[in-house]
């Protein structure tokens, strides 16, 4: 430990910028959804036909591969941006003394990035299997969750979580989050049955797009209903104003996302609206996480709790006769 502490001054510049670095990491993980959508919507999913190389002879795209190779390779390059931000966040967490939880979260974000790259490689090697492509998207949702937790934990203490609302509202908040996750998962299945496969020769999941879209729409109505109920409940009981605001922001994002979804469905899935809908999925989940975080807090530990057991004072000697 003393040796690690001696390096703390080297990490302090990163620690001073830790919050904007964490926010940049979160935004970049949302942006990965958008660049992934660009790959799929431009039929560039096999722009680099192999992995980890772009071609059998080159790690980078070539002029012969055209714009599809540029788009696919550009999406791969974003992985290095995410990795650089994750490393910077890890160093910043090391510069925050007694914040091991931040270090653990930064490590989780960092490990998720190569995992995401591997799953992306499997999508290429399986010629854009729709179920693997869906897993690739869901892993982005998981990474957004961890990156969001890291960003919010910076301003929190290390005490045990403490609820700010009555227990029934905590349950309602969890149900809203589960409904949001179900909406995202159903959207993945809808995408796997639709026309935008990432390559003209890629297979679809074989499900009826109309039937799956109806299930997705039903879940969206459920999510909006739960969100509205949560907002009214937060205004009816003693709850932090920030919690009601977070619920209202989530409702606004959901309504915008729902409008885009209906318009894109009845206009036969134009590329620009599908891309906006993909971005909206990431923003809906961001808003959902914001609601969950607004319902609880983590106080700072007392100085006595922060003292390691090894540094506790030795017991006084018993006087002898």
């Amino acid at each position: 430990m003393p040796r690690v502490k001696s390096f703390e001054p080297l990490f302090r510049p990163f620690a001073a910028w830790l919050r904007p670095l964490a926010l940049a990491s979160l935004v970049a993980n949302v942006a990965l959804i958008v660049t992934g959508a660009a790959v799929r919507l431009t039929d560039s999913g096999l722009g680099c036909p192999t992995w980890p190389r772009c071609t059998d002879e080159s790690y980078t795209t070539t002029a012969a591969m055209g714009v599809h190779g540029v788009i696919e390779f550009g999406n791969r390059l974003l992985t290095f941006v995410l990795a650089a931000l994750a490393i910077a966040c890890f160093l910043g967490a090391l510069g925050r003394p007694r914040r091991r939880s931040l270090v653990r979260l930064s490590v989780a974000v960092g490990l998720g990035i190569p995992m995401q790259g591997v799953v992306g490689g499997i999508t290429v090697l399986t010629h854009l299997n729709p179920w693997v492509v869906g897993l690739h998207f869901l892993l982005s949702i998981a990474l957004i969750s961890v990156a969001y937790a890291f960003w919010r934990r910076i301003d929190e203490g290390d005490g045990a979580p403490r609820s700010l609302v009555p227990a029934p509202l905590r349950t309602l908040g969890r149900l809203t989050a589960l409904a949001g996750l179900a909406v995202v998962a159903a959207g993945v299945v809808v995408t796997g049955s639709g026309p935008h496969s990432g390559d003209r020769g890629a297979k679809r999941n074989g499900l009826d797009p109309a039937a799956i879209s109806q299930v997705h729409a039903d879940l969206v109505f459920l999510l909006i209903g739960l969100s509205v109920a949560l907002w009214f409940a937060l205004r009816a009981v003693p709850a932090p104003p920030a919690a009601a605001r977070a619920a209202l922001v989530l409702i606004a994002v959901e309504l915008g996302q729902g409008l885009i979804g209906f318009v894109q469905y009845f206009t036969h899935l134009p590329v620009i609206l599908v891309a906006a809908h993909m971005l909206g999925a990431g923003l809906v989940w961001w808003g959902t996480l914001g609601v969950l975080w607004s319902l609880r807090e983590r106080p700072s530990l007392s100085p006595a709790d922060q003292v390691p057991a090894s540094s506790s004072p030795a017991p006084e000697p018993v006087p002898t006769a």
Side-chain angles (χ1 to χ4, degrees):
M1 262 326 264
R3 185 175 299 176
V4 173
K5 288 184 177 179
S6 67
F7 287 100
E8 283 184 6
L10 298 177
F11 305 141
R12 286 172 189 161
F14 294 97
W17 288 87
L18 186 56
R19 201 172 196 284
L21 283 171
L23 180 59
S25 176
L26 176 58
V27 171
N29 276 287
V30 175
L32 185 64
I33 292 178
V34 180
T35 60
V39 170
R40 184 168 58 84
L41 295 172
T42 58
D43 291 331
S44 302
L46 296 177
C48 288
T50 187
W51 187 88
R53 295 174 182 264
C54 192
T55 67
D56 291 333
E57 296 80 21
S58 174
Y59 281 98
T60 62
T61 185
T62 63
M65 301 170 69
V67 66
H68 295 306
V70 173
I71 294 173
E72 164 64 7
F73 185 68
N75 185 54
R76 294 188 181 190
L77 285 180
L78 185 58
T79 301
F80 294 97
V81 177
L82 291 170
L85 288 170
I87 292 171
C89 288
F90 172 70
L91 296 177
L94 290 177
R96 293 287 184 94
R98 296 185 297 275
R99 295 305 305 272
R100 294 181 180 178
S101 60
L102 288 180
V103 176
R104 288 193 293 267
L105 285 170
S106 67
V107 170
V109 174
L111 292 178
I113 293 168
M115 187 184 301
Q116 180 76 304
V118 170
V119 174
I122 294 173
T123 64
V124 173
L125 297 177
T126 58
H127 302 287
L128 307 182
N129 180 292
W131 300 108
V132 181
V133 173
L135 177 62
H136 196 36
F137 179 84
L138 292 177
L139 185 54
S140 286
I141 295 297
L143 269 173
I144 289 172
S145 303
V146 181
Y148 184 90
F150 178 75
W151 176 54
R152 291 296 297 264
R153 291 287 286 117
I154 291 171
D155 294 329
E156 291 183 327
D158 280 325
R162 184 169 60 196
S163 178
L164 298 174
V165 297
L169 285 189
R170 294 200 307 271
T171 302
L172 182 56
R174 295 188 184 108
L175 288 175
T176 303
L178 286 175
L181 195 58
V183 167
V184 170
V188 168
V189 179
V190 172
T191 299
S193 67
H196 299 296
S197 61
D199 186 81
R200 294 180 181 179
K203 295 181 179 180
R204 303 282 73 206
N205 59 25
L207 300 176
D208 180 19
I212 299 301
S213 296
Q214 184 61 57
V215 172
H216 181 57
D218 292 341
L219 289 171
V220 169
F221 285 125
L222 174 63
L223 173 60
I224 294 176
L226 289 172
S227 301
V228 171
L230 181 60
W231 177 67
F232 275 113
L234 289 170
R235 290 175 58 85
V237 302
R245 287 196 300 269
L248 186 60
V249 169
L250 176 59
I251 293 169
V253 176
E254 288 169 352
L255 291 175
Q257 175 75 335
L259 178 62
I260 294 172
F262 276 107
V263 173
Q264 73 165 2
Y265 182 80
F266 290 108
T267 55
H268 307 291
L269 305 176
V271 168
I272 188 65
L273 289 183
V274 175
H277 200 54
M278 296 285 287
L279 172 61
L283 296 180
V284 166
W285 188 241
W286 186 330
T288 303
L289 294 172
V291 170
L292 290 178
W293 244 256
S294 70
L295 303 180
R296 32 75 78 201
E297 67 175 358
R298 278 182 179 266
S300 299
L301 293 173
S302 64
D305 294 330
Q306 296 179 0
V307 176
S310 59
S311 62
S312 58
E316 295 182 3
V318 179
T320 57

